[in-house]
Amino acid sequence: MFTNTFATSSMSGIEKQGYFDDDDNIDILKCEESRTMDYKCLLILNSGIKKVLQITNNNECSEFSINAGKKGEIIFQCGSWGVNNTYYYQYDSISSNWYLIKLEYYKLPMNGPDDIGEHITYTYFIKKWAIDDCLMNLGKNKFVISKNLLKRQPLYKKPNIKTKMYLIKGDRVEVLEGKDDWLYILYHGKKDIKAWIPKNSVE
């Protein structure tokens, strides 16, 4: 168990330990001293593999941290004004790299007693994001897939279990998850709706 070190605005000068790859040996993350939001961190695996993480252009992250998760996992947190994005990257031993597997979006209830906040989990992405590609301009919209419905579309509680609800042609949805020929989507309307739809119903 390791204590998470948290740095406001930067990981400048921070060193952490954790199981960043898939073996049982402790690895090290060292971030250089910097007075700006642009800096480098060096990930040193016990196996001898080294990877430079370039943190660039993340001025929207007034709170930023890098932590070890479960074995083989690196977690980045970027937050500002009651909104927090948490990015989970999993180690792949074949490529000796980490890939985004989950993004969690949190918004604190800050607009009166009827505001319940928001928590959305995304596991479906526009491409296979390697950790090298992700650390510039961090933000939910960089990774989340939004699509338009091609026609009037019934909504499903589960794949093949239809509800009485539907969306209409042109409605825009965010994709949260994918399974076989189905997408789990989020529609922002008067009330947020989460449901399953066929993959071929969107463009």
Side-chain angles (χ1 to χ4, degrees):
M1 179 68 68
F2 301 98
T3 301
N4 289 340
T5 306
F6 188 82
T8 300
S9 298
S10 175
M11 289 289 292
S12 174
I14 299 296
E15 179 175 325
K16 295 189 177 184
Q17 295 182 334
Y19 300 102
F20 292 113
D21 61 5
D22 54 2
D23 63 25
D24 294 319
N25 298 309
I26 296 174
D27 309 302
I28 299 174
L29 176 73
K30 294 182 178 180
C31 296
E32 67 181 7
E33 295 280 353
S34 175
R35 295 184 179 180
T36 72
M37 287 298 294
D38 298 344
Y39 53 95
K40 295 179 181 178
C41 296
L42 179 63
L43 185 56
I44 307 170
L45 302 184
N46 186 270
S47 62
I49 294 174
K50 296 181 180 180
K51 175 172 282 294
V52 175
L53 304 180
Q54 180 72 55
I55 318 297
T56 306
N57 221 13
N58 289 320
N59 294 321
E60 293 186 5
C61 300
S62 60
E63 298 174 345
F64 182 77
S65 67
I66 307 174
N67 296 296
K70 60 187 179 182
K71 185 187 292 186
E73 194 173 68
I74 300 177
I75 301 173
F76 292 84
Q77 289 182 305
C78 168
S80 178
W81 294 97
V83 174
N84 183 277
N85 292 312
T86 304
Y87 306 84
Y88 296 81
Y89 297 85
Q90 186 66 43
Y91 181 71
D92 175 62
S93 59
I94 296 176
S95 61
S96 298
N97 208 345
W98 291 258
Y99 295 92
L100 184 64
I101 59 167
K102 183 171 67 172
L103 190 168
E104 289 190 316
Y105 169 83
Y106 298 90
K107 184 178 180 181
L108 297 178
M110 301 175 69
N111 298 308
D114 295 329
D115 185 359
I116 60 172
E118 198 169 11
H119 176 206
I120 306 171
T121 300
Y122 301 89
T123 60
Y124 191 88
F125 304 107
I126 196 168
K127 70 174 190 176
K128 189 175 182 181
W129 287 97
I131 203 169
D132 317 71
D133 305 326
C134 297
L135 303 181
M136 179 184 294
N137 296 317
L138 276 174
K140 179 170 74 76
N141 292 336
K142 176 176 180 176
F143 305 98
V144 172
I145 298 174
S146 294
K147 291 182 175 290
N148 293 322
L149 287 170
L150 294 170
K151 58 183 180 180
R152 184 181 185 275
Q153 176 58 54
L155 302 180
Y156 292 75
K157 182 178 180 180
K158 294 181 180 179
N160 298 314
I161 302 179
K162 189 182 292 187
T163 72
K164 294 181 179 180
M165 296 185 296
Y166 64 90
L167 297 175
I168 63 174
K169 180 179 179 179
D171 279 346
R172 194 159 184 83
V173 298
E174 292 182 354
V175 181
L176 306 181
E177 182 183 343
K179 182 179 180 181
D180 299 326
D181 293 327
W182 294 84
L183 297 175
Y184 189 52
I185 57 94
L186 168 65
Y187 173 71
H188 294 287
K190 291 183 179 179
K191 182 179 179 181
D192 285 354
I193 299 172
K194 293 180 180 179
W196 289 90
I197 60 173
K199 278 186 178 179
N200 61 9
S201 65
V202 293
E203 61 178 355

